[in-house]
Amino acid sequence: MKNFVVKTIANAGALAVAVWLLDKITLTGDNTARKAGTLVVVALIFGLVNWLVKPIVKVLTFPLFILTLGLITLVVNALMLLLTSWVCGRFHLSFHVEGFWTAVIGGLIISVVSWALHMVLPDED
C-alpha cells in the first residue's frame, strides 16, 4: 500500500512540474486545495492508464521499439498523457493537454521528474 501511495505522490509531483513548465498543459481550479485534489485524481488516472494501456501498446509496437532504438517511447508516453487528458475530460476534471508535441515534451518532463522523485522517495511495501 505504501508503494502505491509513493508512486501516486511521485506522479502528482511530476504532473505538477509539467503543468508549471508548459503553458499548453492546464490544470484549473478555484483554489489551491481544489487544484491539489484534482492533481491527485489526475495522477491516479495517469497511473491507471500507464498500468492498463501502456503494456499493451508496448507489445503491439515492439518492432518499432527495436527499429527506433527505443525513441518510440517518447511517442508512447505522449499518447498516454493525451489519453489521460481525454479521460479527465470525460470525468469533467480540469486537466487538459493541448496538442501532440506538447504531450511529447510533457511526457519527457513527467518521465524525468518521476524518475528523480522515485529515487528520493522510499519504495518499500
Side-chain angles (χ1 to χ4, degrees), residues 11 15 41-51 80-81 84 110:
N11 277 341
L15 285 163
V41 174
V42 171
L44 289 170
I45 292 171
F46 185 66
L48 190 63
V49 165
N50 280 325
W51 183 68
M80 296 305 109
L81 190 57
T84 301
I110 290 168

Side-chain angles (χ1 to χ4, degrees), residues 6-17:
V6 168
K7 286 185 180 194
T8 302
I9 291 170
N11 277 341
L15 285 163
V17 170

Side-chain angles (χ1 to χ4, degrees), residues 78-122:
L79 293 175
M80 296 305 109
L81 190 57
L82 285 171
L83 182 60
T84 301
S85 175
W86 180 79
V87 170
C88 288
R90 300 306 258 169
F91 286 114
H92 303 292
L93 294 171
S94 59
F95 177 78
H96 181 68
V97 178
E98 184 181 325
F100 175 75
W101 291 110
T102 303
V104 170
I105 296 169
L108 184 61
I109 291 169
I110 290 168
S111 296
V112 170
V113 172
S114 181
W115 171 80
L117 288 175
H118 282 291
M119 290 286 146
V120 173
L121 296 172

